[in-house]
Amino acid sequence: MPDRITALFFELFSGLPRQGPGTTVNTQRALGFVPDIGPRTRVLDIGCGTGAQTLVLAASTPAHIVAIDTHPPFVDALNREARRLGITVRLQARVADMRSLDFADGSFDLIWCEGAIYNAGVERGLRDWHRLLSRNGHVALTEVCWRKPSPPAECVAFWNREYPAIRSTSALLEAVEGCGYTIVSHFPLPASAWWDDYYRPLQDNINAFRERYRNAPDAQELAGQCQHEIDIWHAHSEFYGYEFLVLQAR
Ligand code: SAH
């Protein structure tokens, strides 16, 4: 992306409680499938964004957490919050690329990744990260899936353009098992996980952004693309959704 568009993109997504679908309750539900989390448990949160789920992990467990993201302002925001909460001893955020993580083998007992593994690709991510886990370590991730056959053409066209790797829940589960993991549990994120903390505040941002950049065609086009994503969701969300997967390394 050219620099101006990248800057506009991050402006459009700034100030949101999260940068993808998810909720506190669903993070806690997934956490409930991971046994024996204690003060010696080491967690890596990949693609943490501003840390919505990282802070839930920190509040719900005594674990040590490293959170990574490629976007420095997100990492800074999370570290500021960790300082404010006085938990920097066990929560540190760093700038790093999920496609080239240089932690030593066996550095973590649990890898968390909400709404972000698509940036590496599910198979590539899971295969690369396997070595970072301790023996029989766990991974919890969310990924978008087709939920029903025969989605309408405009919905298929949207996903073919945005993320052609989208597949059915059963195809996703099968692929994950092929990467050296056993499925501990999985459940769909409800519609509220898309709306409450993600699309609703994003819609407010889009409205204000459109007003602010009334005379800038490139900004309007960008806002239009985001609006289209939300419109597709309103019209067709019964056909797709995020699945939360909790896995154990074999
Ligand atoms: N987990 C957060 C953010 C999800 S959005 C939440 O659910 O709210 C996806 C995040 O992945 C963004 O913060 C983006 O900056 C980050 N990201 C994109 N490519 C990345 C990469 N190659 N390595 C690490 N993080 C990446």
Side-chain angles (χ1 to χ4, degrees), residues 71-113:
H71 189 52
F74 289 165
V75 168
D76 293 344
L78 180 51
N79 279 327
R80 262 198 312 278
E81 188 58 12
R83 272 197 300 279
R84 196 185 69 78
L85 294 167
I87 54 170
T88 52
V89 214
R90 60 184 195 90
L91 169 55
Q92 288 109 33
R94 299 182 199 164
V95 175
D97 188 333
M98 66 171 83
R99 293 165 301 189
S100 55
L101 294 171
D102 58 5
F103 299 102
D105 291 1
S107 296
F108 299 98
D109 308 297
L110 172 61
I111 290 178
W112 209 265
C113 187

Side-chain angles (χ1 to χ4, degrees), residues 10 17-21 45-50 52-53 68-71 74 96-99 114-116 118-119:
F10 280 114
R18 25 187 335 135
Q19 292 75 40
D45 184 7
I46 296 182
C48 59
T50 51
Q53 70 292 313
I68 67 108
D69 200 284
T70 38
H71 189 52
F74 289 165
D97 188 333
M98 66 171 83
R99 293 165 301 189
E114 288 196 35
Y118 68 87
N119 289 295

